[in-house]
Amino acid sequence: MSKIIKDSVHGYIEIEDAFLPVIDSPEFQRLRFIEQDSFRVLYPGARHDRFIHSLGVYCLAKRFAESFEQNIKEDLNNFDIDNYKTILEQCKITFRYAALMHDIGHAPFSHTTEDFFKLSVEQDGTIKIDSDLINAVKDYNSSTIFESDFSECTPASHEKISALFAIRYKKILLQEVQKQIDFELAARMITGVTYSYNGLSDTEKSEYGIKNCFIRLLNSDTADVDKLDYQRRDTMMSGYNNVSVDIDRIAMSVTAAQTSNGLYPAFRKSALSVIENVFRSKSEQGNWIISHPVVKYDSALLQACIRELLKTTKEDTVTDCDKDERLKTFFNSDIFTKKGLHFEDKNICLLNDSYFINRFSEEADFENINIFAEFFDRSSRYKPVWKSYYEYRNLLNIGDNKGKGESIFLEFKPLIDIVNTKNLFRLDKKVLQEIIDDENNPEKVKGVATKIIEFSNKQEIECSFVILSSDTSFSPKINADNIHIVFNKMGKSQNTTYAELKPKTQSEKPDNYFYFYSKERFTEDMLKSFIETFAVSPRA
């Protein structure tokens, strides 16, 4: 038996009976209440969650696995795939399980809060969720190889927690299915931790090469099933007119190639136009949605609200030191489970977006517009002086202002570092003065803090601002050097990389930039004064 679920992106998704206990579990159902992205502040129609995204990735994993098996039989020269039938079958079912579980460890508001899990560390300095995952793998198979390979990677917090859950909750599966799944491999697929080939025989390299292909088809810097689902889903649900990505075509073309780094997932030449669109789609999404000042501000505001919420108690405020301890205690993976976590005389379980939204509403002071009220009251939010990277360039790097953009960025960079290190959200006169009075702060930091106060006094506006760092890396986790393309010529397969095929263009190096938000909307005179105040002489 199986279950059929209608999806707006992939049509009908067939869920195998063996995996229904996972989907029906409270921990997986929790994902219905975790927004997929922070885009809804910009595109109100983008109402989709980690639950349906996980089912979508599972759907693509099934399709990719079948095409992969069929295509490598034809495309891999001198590689008899039938010799690795057992390994391949285990990889295919493990791949489906890992795809289903890959986001079960997502925190509320998805990526916005996951860095809070990095605060809790062991006595030896190891992040707690890292040691929890490593120990879970050791308990599963007594192997220390995973720990060595894991140390070479940098998975996100939600990936580590998802991998941990994938191992811990294996008993929820039927015994027959448990025997077919390699749970260490599932953890590797979720975190992107590939196997090292050091010390392996040629036969072992081929076996682990197949496993590494499946790992990279779920989590890597190539066109994996996770990216392909959320790119299509985010575009469709938000209504943003992004570049179309033909998932059917790329799914049919997935294969493998022999490279200097062993067996690597690849795509047939028939999918080249789709690969091009994968890059363009990711770039457009990063440029105009992920890096949009409204999206970045909303995410920073959420973090500030949570920090403020967890630093207060019923009796009084706590010290900054105790504040971090409370964050460490609260952001524990147990809080995602049905068992939950004991916190402030309560047991909190299956933590999701709604918990924080309800708490914010309880703390909101709409008479005085505190930070919680600002979360609900859009009119009280601060305004960005420039609204995109290109507007920043137009204002500060073109014409009479050429070179001033980089100059202003370098002027603000030391202060931006302090803001990020100390998790400062609002820079008002009190906070800026504390920065100036702190003997440990460099003179450059004190200097720009002083200039901000002087600027607000001169313009006769409230001294209250928000500064958020940004970047021009609009295509994260996609590497053209690691996207392999297979060509069949005269009955033989040859492969190259997308980077080698892609035309080389000479382009100007993108400028560094950041966002500066003010309570007051800047006039042209204010902007001119801002440039004059903070633009030092361009540096060579």
Side-chain angles (χ1 to χ4, degrees):
M1 293 290 292
S2 60
K3 188 177 183 67
I4 305 296
I5 296 175
K6 181 62 182 291
D7 176 33
S8 57
V9 174
H10 302 299
Y12 290 101
I13 299 175
E14 182 178 1
I15 308 294
E16 296 161 283
D17 186 57
F19 294 128
L20 289 179
V22 173
I23 295 173
D24 291 340
S25 69
E27 287 81 5
F28 197 88
Q29 289 290 315
R30 179 186 75 92
L31 298 181
R32 291 182 181 273
F33 311 104
I34 304 291
E35 288 279 352
Q36 171 72 11
D37 297 300
S38 54
F39 304 162
R40 204 149 60 84
V41 67
L42 190 63
Y43 292 97
R47 294 192 67 93
H48 54 302
D49 50 51
R50 291 284 164 181
F51 178 87
I52 190 58
H53 165 63
S54 297
L55 297 186
V57 175
Y58 167 85
C59 174
L60 290 183
K62 290 175 65 177
R63 295 170 62 184
F64 268 60
E66 294 305 320
S67 295
F68 180 82
E69 179 181 18
Q70 180 62 39
N71 292 341
I72 58 178
K73 290 180 180 180
E74 302 173 9
D75 296 336
L76 279 180
N77 302 321
N78 304 318
F79 189 93
D80 190 353
I81 190 62
D82 291 333
N83 292 336
Y84 304 97
K85 193 71 175 176
T86 301
I87 294 291
L88 188 60
E89 288 303 315
Q90 184 183 55
C91 284
K92 285 164 61 179
I93 191 168
T94 302
F95 189 47
R96 297 198 295 276
Y97 176 66
L100 193 62
M101 294 288 286
H102 84 285
D103 268 355
I104 198 170
H106 252 299
F109 310 110
S110 291
H111 299 288
T112 299
T113 59
E114 69 176 317
D115 279 353
F116 290 138
F117 286 93
K118 297 178 182 178
L119 294 173
S120 185
V121 297
E122 307 285 12
Q123 289 186 346
D124 63 356
T126 304
I127 297 174
K128 185 178 185 303
I129 54 175
D130 290 15
S131 57
D132 286 347
L133 175 56
I134 290 168
N135 291 332
V137 174
K138 286 180 181 177
D139 291 342
Y140 167 65
N141 62 8
S142 303
S143 172
T144 59
I145 299 175
F146 176 81
E147 183 175 5
S148 175
D149 292 340
F150 180 82
S151 66
E152 301 296 320
C153 301
T154 55
S157 295
H158 78 272
E159 293 170 347
K160 300 171 189 175
I161 298 171
S162 295
L164 176 65
F165 280 19
I167 296 175
R168 282 183 176 174
Y169 297 152
K170 64 186 178 70
K171 292 183 179 179
I172 201 171
L173 297 168
L174 299 176
Q175 188 68 31
E176 181 181 346
V177 183
Q178 288 186 44
K179 294 178 181 178
Q180 299 177 59
I181 295 175
D182 181 339
F183 289 94
E184 178 190 337
L185 177 57
R188 286 174 175 269
M189 289 175 176
I190 292 169
T191 54
V193 178
T194 54
Y195 292 92
S196 170
Y197 293 137
N198 293 336
L200 298 181
S201 66
D202 289 342
T203 300
E204 288 174 325
K205 287 180 181 179
S206 295
E207 291 178 357
Y208 283 107
I210 293 172
K211 292 182 178 181
N212 281 345
C213 280
F214 278 98
I215 291 170
R216 291 183 170 115
L217 285 174
L218 180 58
N219 185 349
S220 68
D221 55 5
T222 184
D224 57 55
V225 292
D226 180 27
K227 290 185 189 70
L228 290 171
D229 180 83
Y230 74 64
Q231 282 183 245
R232 167 78 74 84
R233 192 173 301 279
D234 293 350
T235 298
M236 180 179 291
M237 301 308 293
S238 68
Y240 174 68
N241 289 327
N242 202 346
V243 179
S244 175
V245 175
D246 189 342
I247 290 180
D248 294 333
R249 191 172 186 87
I250 199 170
M252 289 187 293
S253 77
V254 65
T255 183
Q258 289 282 13
T259 75
S260 58
N261 294 320
L263 207 60
Y264 219 93
F267 302 93
R268 288 177 166 176
K269 66 175 183 178
S270 58
L272 268 170
S273 62
V274 186
I275 295 296
E276 175 75 21
N277 281 353
V278 169
F279 270 84
R280 291 174 58 199
S281 175
K282 186 62 181 170
S283 179
E284 292 295 300
Q285 185 185 52
N287 194 348
W288 299 109
I289 301 179
I290 296 174
S291 295
H292 194 283
V294 170
V295 172
K296 294 186 71 67
Y297 185 92
D298 190 68
S299 179
L301 177 60
L302 271 170
Q303 289 185 350
C305 285
I306 291 171
R307 288 183 177 277
E308 184 69 17
L309 183 73
L310 293 180
K311 85 172 185 181
T312 58
T313 65
K314 295 175 182 177
E315 294 81 20
D316 198 1
T317 58
V318 296
T319 65
D320 286 343
C321 179
D322 291 335
K323 175 175 61 177
D324 275 351
E325 289 302 318
R326 289 164 61 79
L327 281 168
K328 293 176 190 177
T329 302
F330 189 88
F331 283 93
N332 181 304
S333 60
D334 289 343
I335 208 168
F336 296 159
T337 68
K338 61 185 177 184
K339 179 182 178 181
L341 179 75
H342 193 72
F343 186 82
E344 286 187 347
D345 300 326
K346 294 180 181 178
N347 195 68
I348 305 172
C349 66
L350 305 174
L351 185 69
N352 57 65
D353 297 359
S354 300
Y355 171 84
F356 284 113
I357 293 172
N358 291 336
R359 290 293 307 275
F360 294 167
S361 65
E362 293 171 359
E363 301 290 336
D365 180 357
F366 291 99
E367 291 295 325
N368 299 301
I369 305 294
N370 65 355
I371 195 169
F372 303 108
E374 184 181 339
F375 176 79
F376 296 100
D377 185 356
R378 182 70 174 263
S379 65
S380 66
R381 297 194 178 189
Y382 286 32
K383 292 86 176 172
V385 177
W386 45 86
K387 295 184 179 181
S388 71
Y389 165 70
Y390 298 103
E391 187 173 348
Y392 179 84
R393 276 186 55 83
N394 182 62
L395 289 171
L396 304 173
N397 274 337
I398 293 177
D400 294 339
N401 290 329
K402 188 171 181 62
K404 291 184 178 178
E406 183 70 7
S407 172
I408 289 177
F409 173 82
L410 292 172
E411 183 77 355
F412 272 96
K413 181 64 167 60
L415 179 60
I416 292 172
D417 292 340
I418 293 291
V419 167
N420 292 337
T421 301
K422 296 188 175 182
N423 300 301
L424 303 175
F425 178 61
R426 190 86 71 227
L427 294 178
D428 56 23
K429 186 172 290 188
K430 178 176 179 294
V431 172
L432 289 167
Q433 193 59 54
E434 289 174 353
I435 290 173
I436 295 169
D437 294 339
D438 189 339
E439 295 180 356
N440 296 318
N441 286 332
E443 290 302 318
K444 288 184 178 180
V445 174
K446 296 180 181 182
V448 72
T450 301
K451 284 185 178 182
I452 292 174
I453 295 175
E454 293 173 348
F455 170 77
S456 60
N457 289 338
K458 181 179 179 181
Q459 297 300 317
E460 297 181 344
I461 60 175
E462 183 176 345
C463 184
S464 186
F465 307 96
V466 172
I467 303 176
L468 300 179
S469 57
S470 195
D471 59 59
T472 50
S473 300
F474 298 137
S475 298
K477 294 196 75 174
I478 299 183
N479 187 342
D481 290 317
N482 287 334
I483 295 185
H484 294 267
I485 307 297
V486 172
F487 291 82
N488 286 308
K489 295 181 178 179
M490 300 180 66
K492 290 187 176 182
S493 296
Q494 299 178 4
N495 68 281
T496 185
T497 67
Y498 180 67
E500 292 171 336
L501 296 171
K502 190 175 175 64
K504 304 296 187 294
T505 57
Q506 297 295 325
S507 59
E508 184 181 354
K509 183 180 179 295
D511 305 299
N512 294 305
Y513 83 117
F514 64 104
Y515 285 119
F516 190 86
Y517 302 79
S518 171
K519 199 168 185 178
E520 308 287 339
R521 194 176 299 279
F522 270 33
T523 64
E524 288 189 15
D525 287 341
M526 289 169 65
L527 179 58
K528 182 179 179 181
S529 177
F530 178 87
I531 296 172
E532 291 173 349
T533 301
F534 296 101
V536 296
S537 299
R539 306 180 188 187

